[in-house]
């Protein structure tokens, strides 16, 4: 499957309808972004069961700001509507493959439990 272009109009729907989404935040003027693009496309071809998406930070400034993207390229992985990875920098092919494998292996129930445990508790402290 080819990569999907994400916009503020289709972002929420795309992420909520797909269990595993990789998002490349990029810009056309960014040389590392352009160097990472073929690596990202190759990973998309090798993992047809996953959704690979791109956000053009120039065209989608509101979306980039909402995710506090300050450096590009930034790769984000969203599983079951939970961001499990977000890091700037162009990854080499082997590192991207390894990262995808690690994200696939996550126990999402455990991830959600860890998130819940790190949230401040409501109500007075006892």
């Amino acid at each position: 499957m080819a990569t999907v272009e994400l916009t503020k109009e289709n972002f929420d729907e795309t992420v909520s309808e797909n269990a595993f989404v990789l998002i490349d935040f990029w810009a056309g003027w960014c040389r590392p972004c352009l160097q990472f693009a073929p690596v990202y496309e190759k990973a998309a071809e090798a993992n047809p069961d996953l959704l690979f998406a791109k956000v053009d930070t120039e065209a989608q400034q509101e979306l980039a700001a909402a995710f506090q993207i300050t450096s590009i390229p930034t790769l984000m992985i969203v599983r079951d509507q939970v961001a499990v990875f977000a890091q700037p920098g162009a990854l080499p092919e082997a590192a991207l493959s390894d990262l995808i494998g690690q994200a696939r292996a996550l126990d999402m129930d455990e991830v959600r439990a860890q998130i819940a445990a790190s949230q401040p508790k409501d109500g007075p402290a006892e």
Side-chain angles (χ1 to χ4, degrees), residues 26-34 56-59 61 70-73:
W26 70 285
W29 52 262
C30 166
R31 194 173 294 280
C33 298
L34 300 176
D56 180 344
T57 58
E58 289 295 304
Q61 292 180 13
T70 57
S71 182
I72 52 175

PDB file of all heavy atoms in Angstrom, residues 26-34 56-59 61 70-73:
ATOM      1  N   TRP A  26       7.320  15.530   7.775  1.00  0.00           N
ATOM      2  CA  TRP A  26       8.390  15.902   6.856  1.00  0.00           C
ATOM      3  C   TRP A  26       8.080  17.247   6.195  1.00  0.00           C
ATOM      4  O   TRP A  26       6.988  17.801   6.369  1.00  0.00           O
ATOM      5  CB  TRP A  26       8.548  14.825   5.776  1.00  0.00           C
ATOM      6  CG  TRP A  26       7.375  14.808   4.830  1.00  0.00           C
ATOM      7  CD1 TRP A  26       6.124  14.321   5.077  1.00  0.00           C
ATOM      8  CD2 TRP A  26       7.323  15.363   3.527  1.00  0.00           C
ATOM      9  NE1 TRP A  26       5.308  14.514   3.993  1.00  0.00           N
ATOM     10  CE2 TRP A  26       6.018  15.166   3.025  1.00  0.00           C
ATOM     11  CE3 TRP A  26       8.265  16.014   2.730  1.00  0.00           C
ATOM     12  CZ2 TRP A  26       5.639  15.588   1.755  1.00  0.00           C
ATOM     13  CZ3 TRP A  26       7.871  16.430   1.471  1.00  0.00           C
ATOM     14  CH2 TRP A  26       6.576  16.214   0.994  1.00  0.00           C
ATOM     15  N   ALA A  27       9.040  17.749   5.422  1.00  0.00           N
ATOM     16  CA  ALA A  27       8.841  18.942   4.589  1.00  0.00           C
ATOM     17  C   ALA A  27       9.708  18.801   3.342  1.00  0.00           C
ATOM     18  O   ALA A  27      10.774  18.180   3.382  1.00  0.00           O
ATOM     19  CB  ALA A  27       9.213  20.205   5.353  1.00  0.00           C
ATOM     20  N   GLY A  28       9.239  19.381   2.253  1.00  0.00           N
ATOM     21  CA  GLY A  28       9.932  19.266   0.970  1.00  0.00           C
ATOM     22  C   GLY A  28      11.311  19.907   0.943  1.00  0.00           C
ATOM     23  O   GLY A  28      12.170  19.519   0.153  1.00  0.00           O
ATOM     24  N   TRP A  29      11.568  20.890   1.788  1.00  0.00           N
ATOM     25  CA  TRP A  29      12.858  21.577   1.814  1.00  0.00           C
ATOM     26  C   TRP A  29      13.877  20.868   2.708  1.00  0.00           C
ATOM     27  O   TRP A  29      15.042  21.238   2.748  1.00  0.00           O
ATOM     28  CB  TRP A  29      12.687  23.020   2.275  1.00  0.00           C
ATOM     29  CG  TRP A  29      11.938  23.148   3.566  1.00  0.00           C
ATOM     30  CD1 TRP A  29      10.608  23.426   3.714  1.00  0.00           C
ATOM     31  CD2 TRP A  29      12.446  22.951   4.888  1.00  0.00           C
ATOM     32  NE1 TRP A  29      10.266  23.424   5.050  1.00  0.00           N
ATOM     33  CE2 TRP A  29      11.371  23.139   5.796  1.00  0.00           C
ATOM     34  CE3 TRP A  29      13.696  22.632   5.409  1.00  0.00           C
ATOM     35  CZ2 TRP A  29      11.518  23.025   7.177  1.00  0.00           C
ATOM     36  CZ3 TRP A  29      13.833  22.513   6.791  1.00  0.00           C
ATOM     37  CH2 TRP A  29      12.750  22.720   7.657  1.00  0.00           C
ATOM     38  N   CYS A  30      13.440  19.862   3.441  1.00  0.00           N
ATOM     39  CA  CYS A  30      14.271  19.186   4.440  1.00  0.00           C
ATOM     40  C   CYS A  30      15.066  18.048   3.791  1.00  0.00           C
ATOM     41  O   CYS A  30      14.500  17.027   3.420  1.00  0.00           O
ATOM     42  CB  CYS A  30      13.344  18.664   5.556  1.00  0.00           C
ATOM     43  SG  CYS A  30      14.086  17.480   6.670  1.00  0.00           S
ATOM     44  N   ARG A  31      16.372  18.240   3.685  1.00  0.00           N
ATOM     45  CA  ARG A  31      17.215  17.236   3.029  1.00  0.00           C
ATOM     46  C   ARG A  31      17.174  15.880   3.740  1.00  0.00           C
ATOM     47  O   ARG A  31      17.006  14.847   3.086  1.00  0.00           O
ATOM     48  CB  ARG A  31      18.653  17.743   2.883  1.00  0.00           C
ATOM     49  CG  ARG A  31      19.464  16.898   1.924  1.00  0.00           C
ATOM     50  CD  ARG A  31      20.830  17.479   1.631  1.00  0.00           C
ATOM     51  NE  ARG A  31      20.848  18.726   0.913  1.00  0.00           N
ATOM     52  CZ  ARG A  31      20.691  18.846  -0.419  1.00  0.00           C
ATOM     53  NH1 ARG A  31      20.489  17.764  -1.133  1.00  0.00           N
ATOM     54  NH2 ARG A  31      20.755  20.011  -1.005  1.00  0.00           N
ATOM     55  N   PRO A  32      17.295  15.809   5.084  1.00  0.00           N
ATOM     56  CA  PRO A  32      17.179  14.506   5.748  1.00  0.00           C
ATOM     57  C   PRO A  32      15.814  13.847   5.515  1.00  0.00           C
ATOM     58  O   PRO A  32      15.732  12.621   5.410  1.00  0.00           O
ATOM     59  CB  PRO A  32      17.389  14.836   7.236  1.00  0.00           C
ATOM     60  CG  PRO A  32      18.187  16.103   7.235  1.00  0.00           C
ATOM     61  CD  PRO A  32      17.700  16.869   6.039  1.00  0.00           C
ATOM     62  N   CYS A  33      14.763  14.663   5.407  1.00  0.00           N
ATOM     63  CA  CYS A  33      13.429  14.115   5.123  1.00  0.00           C
ATOM     64  C   CYS A  33      13.415  13.429   3.758  1.00  0.00           C
ATOM     65  O   CYS A  33      12.865  12.335   3.599  1.00  0.00           O
ATOM     66  CB  CYS A  33      12.362  15.215   5.125  1.00  0.00           C
ATOM     67  SG  CYS A  33      12.159  16.082   6.694  1.00  0.00           S
ATOM     68  N   LEU A  34      14.019  14.091   2.785  1.00  0.00           N
ATOM     69  CA  LEU A  34      14.051  13.551   1.428  1.00  0.00           C
ATOM     70  C   LEU A  34      14.922  12.297   1.360  1.00  0.00           C
ATOM     71  O   LEU A  34      14.628  11.378   0.592  1.00  0.00           O
ATOM     72  CB  LEU A  34      14.542  14.617   0.445  1.00  0.00           C
ATOM     73  CG  LEU A  34      13.670  15.882   0.374  1.00  0.00           C
ATOM     74  CD1 LEU A  34      14.298  16.912  -0.560  1.00  0.00           C
ATOM     75  CD2 LEU A  34      12.248  15.553  -0.051  1.00  0.00           C
ATOM     76  N   ASP A  56       2.912  16.551   5.706  1.00  0.00           N
ATOM     77  CA  ASP A  56       3.729  17.650   5.194  1.00  0.00           C
ATOM     78  C   ASP A  56       3.587  18.801   6.194  1.00  0.00           C
ATOM     79  O   ASP A  56       2.538  19.441   6.265  1.00  0.00           O
ATOM     80  CB  ASP A  56       3.244  18.054   3.808  1.00  0.00           C
ATOM     81  CG  ASP A  56       4.055  19.195   3.210  1.00  0.00           C
ATOM     82  OD1 ASP A  56       4.796  19.881   3.945  1.00  0.00           O
ATOM     83  OD2 ASP A  56       3.918  19.415   1.994  1.00  0.00           O
ATOM     84  N   THR A  57       4.643  19.040   6.969  1.00  0.00           N
ATOM     85  CA  THR A  57       4.556  20.026   8.045  1.00  0.00           C
ATOM     86  C   THR A  57       4.382  21.450   7.525  1.00  0.00           C
ATOM     87  O   THR A  57       3.906  22.309   8.258  1.00  0.00           O
ATOM     88  CB  THR A  57       5.788  19.959   8.972  1.00  0.00           C
ATOM     89  OG1 THR A  57       6.967  20.166   8.192  1.00  0.00           O
ATOM     90  CG2 THR A  57       5.863  18.614   9.673  1.00  0.00           C
ATOM     91  N   GLU A  58       4.740  21.694   6.281  1.00  0.00           N
ATOM     92  CA  GLU A  58       4.522  23.022   5.696  1.00  0.00           C
ATOM     93  C   GLU A  58       3.046  23.230   5.380  1.00  0.00           C
ATOM     94  O   GLU A  58       2.480  24.270   5.665  1.00  0.00           O
ATOM     95  CB  GLU A  58       5.369  23.193   4.430  1.00  0.00           C
ATOM     96  CG  GLU A  58       6.843  23.311   4.701  1.00  0.00           C
ATOM     97  CD  GLU A  58       7.213  24.562   5.479  1.00  0.00           C
ATOM     98  OE1 GLU A  58       6.876  25.674   5.020  1.00  0.00           O
ATOM     99  OE2 GLU A  58       7.828  24.431   6.551  1.00  0.00           O
ATOM    100  N   ALA A  59       2.420  22.231   4.795  1.00  0.00           N
ATOM    101  CA  ALA A  59       1.004  22.327   4.415  1.00  0.00           C
ATOM    102  C   ALA A  59       0.078  22.100   5.610  1.00  0.00           C
ATOM    103  O   ALA A  59      -1.058  22.578   5.620  1.00  0.00           O
ATOM    104  CB  ALA A  59       0.692  21.314   3.315  1.00  0.00           C
ATOM    105  N   GLN A  61       0.557  22.846   9.114  1.00  0.00           N
ATOM    106  CA  GLN A  61       1.228  23.448  10.259  1.00  0.00           C
ATOM    107  C   GLN A  61       0.450  23.252  11.558  1.00  0.00           C
ATOM    108  O   GLN A  61       1.047  23.045  12.617  1.00  0.00           O
ATOM    109  CB  GLN A  61       1.500  24.923   9.996  1.00  0.00           C
ATOM    110  CG  GLN A  61       2.527  25.112   8.898  1.00  0.00           C
ATOM    111  CD  GLN A  61       2.839  26.568   8.601  1.00  0.00           C
ATOM    112  OE1 GLN A  61       2.484  27.461   9.350  1.00  0.00           O
ATOM    113  NE2 GLN A  61       3.512  26.796   7.490  1.00  0.00           N
ATOM    114  N   THR A  70       8.992  19.826  16.392  1.00  0.00           N
ATOM    115  CA  THR A  70       9.931  20.938  16.306  1.00  0.00           C
ATOM    116  C   THR A  70      11.154  20.591  15.465  1.00  0.00           C
ATOM    117  O   THR A  70      11.960  21.454  15.161  1.00  0.00           O
ATOM    118  CB  THR A  70      10.398  21.370  17.712  1.00  0.00           C
ATOM    119  OG1 THR A  70      10.975  20.247  18.374  1.00  0.00           O
ATOM    120  CG2 THR A  70       9.221  21.894  18.534  1.00  0.00           C
ATOM    121  N   SER A  71      11.286  19.328  15.099  1.00  0.00           N
ATOM    122  CA  SER A  71      12.412  18.874  14.304  1.00  0.00           C
ATOM    123  C   SER A  71      11.903  17.819  13.327  1.00  0.00           C
ATOM    124  O   SER A  71      11.094  16.967  13.701  1.00  0.00           O
ATOM    125  CB  SER A  71      13.475  18.277  15.225  1.00  0.00           C
ATOM    126  OG  SER A  71      14.602  17.861  14.482  1.00  0.00           O
ATOM    127  N   ILE A  72      12.364  17.916  12.080  1.00  0.00           N
ATOM    128  CA  ILE A  72      11.935  16.943  11.077  1.00  0.00           C
ATOM    129  C   ILE A  72      13.154  16.344  10.406  1.00  0.00           C
ATOM    130  O   ILE A  72      14.196  17.000  10.351  1.00  0.00           O
ATOM    131  CB  ILE A  72      10.968  17.563  10.043  1.00  0.00           C
ATOM    132  CG1 ILE A  72      11.552  18.835   9.454  1.00  0.00           C
ATOM    133  CG2 ILE A  72       9.610  17.811  10.659  1.00  0.00           C
ATOM    134  CD1 ILE A  72      10.720  19.440   8.344  1.00  0.00           C
ATOM    135  N   PRO A  73      13.036  15.115   9.908  1.00  0.00           N
ATOM    136  CA  PRO A  73      11.847  14.271   9.993  1.00  0.00           C
ATOM    137  C   PRO A  73      11.609  13.776  11.417  1.00  0.00           C
ATOM    138  O   PRO A  73      12.555  13.571  12.177  1.00  0.00           O
ATOM    139  CB  PRO A  73      12.169  13.094   9.065  1.00  0.00           C
ATOM    140  CG  PRO A  73      13.676  12.990   9.104  1.00  0.00           C
ATOM    141  CD  PRO A  73      14.160  14.414   9.256  1.00  0.00           C
TER     142      PRO A  73
END
